[in-house]
Amino acid sequence: MYRHKFYDATGKRKEKKKSSFKTEKAALKALLKVKAATLRVKQNILNMIT
């Protein structure tokens, strides 16, 4: 199971979570994908502002 807390574009606190992975490695891999996607969205928002 992973749980990732972050702030969305409007400043509201959000959480993404998922469970039922067969291995801890699979959960970590999925968490890293979610974190990377979150960072890409933040970067796109910053690029739109500037």
Side-chain angles (χ1 to χ4, degrees), residues 1-2 18-30:
M1 179 175 152
Y2 72 77
K18 188 173 179 183
S19 60
S20 71
F21 292 100
K22 291 187 178 185
T23 64
E24 186 176 347
K25 186 176 180 179
L28 181 59
K29 188 174 181 180

Side-chain angles (χ1 to χ4, degrees), residues 31-47:
L31 174 61
L32 291 175
K33 285 183 182 181
V34 169
K35 285 185 175 188
T38 303
L39 289 173
R40 277 194 301 272
V41 169
K42 286 182 182 180
Q43 186 63 40
N44 288 340
I45 291 170
L46 290 174
N47 288 339

Side-chain angles (χ1 to χ4, degrees), residues 5-23:
K5 296 178 183 177
F6 63 98
Y7 292 96
D8 67 0
T10 62
K12 292 184 180 178
R13 184 110 168 127
K14 299 278 184 163
E15 180 180 71
K16 289 195 181 235
K17 59 184 175 179
K18 188 173 179 183
S19 60
S20 71
F21 292 100
K22 291 187 178 185
T23 64

